[in-house]
Amino acid sequence: MRIIEAKDYADMSRKAANVISAQVILEPRSVLGLATGSTPIGAYSQLIDWYKKGDIDFSLTKSVNLDEYIGLDGSDDQSYRYFMNRNFFDSINIKKENTFVPNGKAADMEAECKRYDELIDSLGGIDLQLLGIGHDGHIGFNEPGAAFEKTTHIVELEEATIKANARFFGSEDKVPKKAITMGIKSIMQARKLLLIANGPDKRDIVEKALHGPVTPMVPASILQFHPNLTVVYCFN
Ligand code: GLP
């Protein structure tokens, strides 16, 4: 595990963007595993900046996202598909058809889970997976208690997660109660992992995840077992 302490949010974002850009420059055909939440926004905007300066080319790159709310269409401004388009894909030269987010509106969600796992396999797996972390230690939407061996599956969101994400929806009752997420097993199969965390409110959970016992009650603690994990954090 490599742990990099950043000076502030901008520094954390640049360092994370550096890791991602190195991946794309060295292997232009990389499959990037991407994440939503407020934490990665700065890294995405830094990558956009470097793309505009001509430093990075995403034309051969593919991406798979971790998760999506169930019931939200990609055109809904709270969906993770919409988030990715607005915060990243619309401003770089990745081909939209090479960007994948689980479909939260699929008629058969079980079939959608299977399709998503097969899709990741067909792309040859994930080269670099970016991860944020929830206050309860969730990664993607794998909430405490989720079995480590799960691949893509449906989850009921924890009350704490609904509360934390209400800030994007305006009120708690508007937050979907269910999501589709890559499982811990899918995440652990990525060849490299990059975990980012920002803010004083993330200090305790990051400490527990990186240095505490490995337990499904802290889903991110399993990352300790990954052979190629980089963590960039800033708790200021
Ligand atoms: C959501 C996402 C996670 C993300 C987490 C933390 O629940 N599903 O992938 O890591 O929020 O979000 P933030 O970065 O806003 O703290």
Side-chain angles (χ1 to χ4, degrees):
M1 187 190 318
R2 295 180 206 91
I3 298 184
I4 302 167
E5 192 170 351
K7 290 194 287 278
D8 50 28
Y9 179 71
D11 187 38
M12 184 208 74
S13 300
R14 273 196 309 277
K15 285 182 162 67
N18 263 302
V19 174
I20 298 167
S21 73
Q23 176 70 40
V24 174
I25 290 167
L26 295 173
E27 289 178 44
R29 292 178 187 280
S30 288
V31 176
L32 299 178
L34 299 177
T36 52
S38 52
T39 314
I41 291 178
Y44 293 147
S45 64
Q46 179 63 77
L47 289 167
I48 291 168
D49 193 42
W50 288 333
Y51 160 71
K52 288 187 174 154
K53 288 181 174 141
D55 292 345
I56 324 172
D57 174 11
F58 293 94
S59 60
L60 300 173
T61 307
K62 295 184 176 153
S63 73
V64 285
N65 258 76
L66 282 169
D67 47 12
E68 179 61 283
Y69 288 111
I70 291 184
L72 298 193
D73 188 81
S75 60
D76 188 308
D77 63 2
Q78 291 307 329
S79 72
Y80 284 167
R81 159 54 77 182
Y82 188 95
F83 174 102
M84 290 309 300
N85 288 349
R86 193 193 45 192
N87 289 298
F88 197 29
F89 301 148
D90 286 346
S91 306
I92 57 170
N93 68 335
I94 197 164
K95 296 193 178 86
K96 261 313 161 48
E97 64 269 26
N98 287 337
T99 67
F100 303 96
V101 179
N103 178 4
K105 284 281 263 188
D108 180 345
M109 287 310 298
E110 289 302 330
E112 173 61 10
C113 292
K114 193 161 175 281
R115 183 194 73 84
Y116 206 67
D117 286 332
E118 287 168 357
L119 168 81
I120 296 171
D121 281 351
S122 73
L123 297 176
I126 298 166
D127 292 300
L128 173 66
Q129 175 68 56
L130 176 65
L131 296 168
I133 183 169
H135 293 105
D136 57 4
H138 73 245
I139 44 176
F141 267 133
N142 292 279
E143 298 279 20
F148 284 155
E149 56 276 2
K150 283 202 175 161
T151 51
T152 304
H153 62 288
I154 313 291
V155 288
E156 304 266 348
L157 300 182
E158 291 287 335
E159 211 44 51
T161 302
I162 292 173
K163 278 202 170 74
N165 291 351
R167 66 201 145 117
F168 302 113
F169 288 82
S171 73
E172 247 174 81
D173 54 314
K174 292 203 182 109
V175 185
K177 305 291 176 279
K178 284 187 181 185
I180 171 170
T181 183
M182 271 166 52
I184 300 281
K185 184 175 174 191
S186 338
I187 293 169
M188 288 298 280
Q189 281 171 343
R191 288 181 268 281
K192 294 175 203 156
L193 298 180
L194 173 60
L195 175 71
I196 55 175
N198 174 63
D201 52 318
K202 293 284 173 79
R203 181 189 287 275
D204 284 356
I205 193 62
V206 171
E207 286 289 318
K208 269 194 206 155
L210 302 183
H211 307 297
V214 174
T215 159
M217 294 321 290
V218 182
S221 63
I222 188 69
L223 303 179
Q224 294 178 33
F225 289 157
H226 195 281
N228 195 326
L229 168 67
T230 302
V231 184
V232 186
Y233 62 63
C234 160
F235 299 134
N236 295 332

